[in-house]
Amino acid sequence: MPDAKPTTFGDLQPSKWPGERLGLPESGRGSVGRVGRRIAALLIDWASAMLLALLFTPYDSVAYNFVTPLVFVVLQIVFIPTIGGSIGHRLLGMAVVPLEGGWIGIRRPVVRSLLLIIVVPALVWDSDQRGFHDKVAGTVLIRSR
């Protein structure tokens, strides 16, 4: 049966570009945000969290090591539903959107951010360049411009 539809993940044909299976364009606005932009946005977001954490704890204290990730998560949870992405995402022309469309809500940014902070899910990607944290949250990081 050559016309049979694939039934398992191993039977799926490789994507021609990241986001093809999600119905996203190959490049430009609406395409999957690529690795370089993602890493740069993460660095911007982490630096912002480090600076804001200094308002609460001195840099050389043990508490600073716990406050910085907490500030990072709070920034993600606040900005993803309100401005469509973190400060880093928006500065680099990206947005976090739910796969089924509509407003992203609060649950998705919470799940995504808590998984992101433990790092490993962000290192596990699928062929659409979506990290495990995005897959679990039902989101995708796309180019907004």
Side-chain angles (χ1 to χ4, degrees), residues 15-66:
S15 297
K16 293 183 179 98
W17 66 83
E20 177 189 24
R21 290 188 194 135
L22 303 173
L24 301 176
E26 184 173 359
S27 61
R29 186 181 178 113
S31 65
V32 171
R34 299 302 200 271
V35 178
R37 285 181 190 232
R38 289 171 180 251
I39 291 171
L42 181 62
L43 292 174
I44 290 169
D45 293 338
W46 194 255
S48 300
M50 289 176 71
L51 289 172
L52 287 170
L54 288 173
L55 297 173
F56 304 105
T57 58
Y59 179 75
D60 57 352
S61 72
V62 174
Y64 181 78
N65 296 325
F66 295 101

Side-chain angles (χ1 to χ4, degrees), residues 66-95:
F66 295 101
V67 172
T68 302
L70 179 64
V71 169
F72 177 84
V73 167
V74 168
L75 290 174
Q76 297 288 311
I77 292 170
V78 167
F79 287 122
I80 289 174
T82 57
I83 65 172
S86 68
I87 303 273
H89 293 147
R90 301 310 289 164
L91 286 174
L92 294 173
M94 297 184 294

